[in-house]
Amino acid sequence: MRKGTFQWMKSVNKSIILNKIRTSAPISRAQIAKETNLTPPTVSSNVKELIDQGIVIESQLGESQGGRKPTMLQINNHEFYIIGVDSGPDAIECVLADLSGTICNRVTRDLIMPITNEVFVSILKECIHSCLAASSSNSKNIIGIGVAMHGVVDVETGTSLYAPNLGLTNISIKEQLENEFDLEVEVENDARAMALGESWFGDHGQIENMLVMNLGLGVGAGMIIDGELYHGAQHIAGEVGHMTIDLHGEVCECGNRGCLQTFTTGPAIAKRARELSNRQEISAEEVYALAVKGNREYTTLLEETATIIGIGLTNLIHVMNPQKIVLGGGVTKAEKVLLPVIRQTIEQRGLTPLAKKTEVVITKFGDDATLMGAIALHLVNLFGPTRVE
């Protein structure tokens, strides 16, 4: 599917109708008109075009309201596909997924440091080419490529301005991938992409205000506000890992002291464990495994980490007041120890009874949470925002 083929997606009425079908299927034309305040002729003409394009299909007949049984409509999820890319600091993972988020194929390429912009983009292109080659039967119906990239991203130009874990700046991802593949490319910060993926695929119901935090090699967050992904004035909203927790704490990679991520990332946990045990080598995964086996020192370390995460989340609750918080990233694999303490900390420190009761859960997508966000980047263009009036 080449660029420009789906320009009809930009129609406001079509987006309204598509989103209503997506969220309410199976649904009749009459129901769509009633629930969107569009006229029946407008709905009928737009639905006909959507069926002709193959994005909507007719399904079984609905219940009669006194006349003929209405024909029901639903999204043709398995006709079109999206390439989703998680450009992590250790590897690039590329998937082919349908419109429901079902992953059909997966390709991974390791990244070896140090690396240059040119080598990074070359590996990125090769990974996508390999995914396309393995999915040749579906490649003609690919809508676009979504890339989730760590660090600071200019979403307007699709440029990675600063990728700290790779030590790279000013990577023109969108421009180079569009020239290579002749497909629409969307590039987004990985934590914000993760938030978008949760809002589309996470089965969280009609939640319009949600915070999603990624705890891994770094700490970042994405915010869904009034049903839409929030970027901020300079596209740096969500850099919560650089929230100051201790004025006299360790120096962070950003140059400030005592940032949240100096306590709560996998490497930070491992570093504190080495200092605690005098071991030269230990990973955050080993810390958790030993804590589960009864090592009290490591259990206490993880509980202290959870308390700090809880304090950070309480600060964010008081600023944003989300209906729900979703946590993802490698650190959350220790949820058995972490989650009860995080919830308890919020309960103890929340300003009001409602703040204290903010729901906190772990993503159901595990290591695929960022990929689900990369896939969702194109669904916003197709269906419009997640908000349902």
Side-chain angles (χ1 to χ4, degrees), residues 33-175:
K34 181 179 179 181
E35 295 179 21
T36 62
N37 293 320
L38 295 173
T39 66
T42 297
V43 171
S44 293
S45 62
N46 279 282
V47 165
K48 182 181 184 304
E49 290 182 34
L50 292 170
I51 290 174
D52 289 343
Q53 292 283 349
I55 192 70
V56 170
I57 55 175
E58 295 180 325
S59 59
Q60 77 277 10
L61 299 179
E63 292 296 322
S64 171
Q65 301 298 318
R68 292 187 305 172
K69 288 186 176 182
T71 302
M72 308 302 279
L73 304 169
Q74 63 186 45
I75 300 298
N76 190 5
N77 284 319
H78 308 302
E79 181 66 18
F80 299 100
Y81 297 84
I82 297 168
I83 293 286
V85 182
D86 179 2
S87 300
D90 297 320
I92 292 174
E93 190 162 16
C94 179
V95 299
L96 180 81
D98 66 18
L99 299 186
S100 70
T102 300
I103 293 174
C104 309
N105 190 46
R106 185 187 304 261
V107 174
T108 302
R109 295 290 183 268
D110 291 334
L111 296 174
I112 299 174
M113 302 298 113
I115 194 169
T116 64
N117 285 16
E118 292 73 23
V119 172
F120 172 80
V121 172
S122 176
I123 295 172
L124 179 60
K125 289 178 180 178
E126 192 276 325
C127 194
I128 295 171
H129 273 301
S130 295
C131 194
L132 288 169
S135 314
S136 57
S137 61
N138 300 320
S139 60
K140 67 179 185 301
N141 288 335
I142 294 176
I143 292 173
I145 300 168
V147 179
M149 182 74 183
H150 87 280
V152 181
V153 173
D154 183 334
V155 297
E156 300 297 332
T157 64
T159 302
S160 170
L161 298 177
Y162 177 47
N165 292 331
L166 294 174
L168 301 179
T169 60
N170 299 316
I171 314 170
S172 53
I173 295 174
K174 178 180 174 71
E175 178 184 4

Side-chain angles (χ1 to χ4, degrees), residues 13 36 139 197 223 242 270 276 281 301 314-315 351 353 355 364 380:
N13 286 343
T36 62
S139 60
M223 294 172 280
H242 300 290
L276 184 67
E281 293 296 333
L301 188 157
T314 303
N315 292 340
L351 182 64
K364 69 177 185 179
V380 174

Side-chain angles (χ1 to χ4, degrees), residues 317-332:
I317 289 169
H318 292 157
V319 172
M320 181 188 166
N321 188 28
Q323 295 163 272
K324 193 172 191 177
I325 295 172
V326 182
L327 304 178
V331 172
T332 62

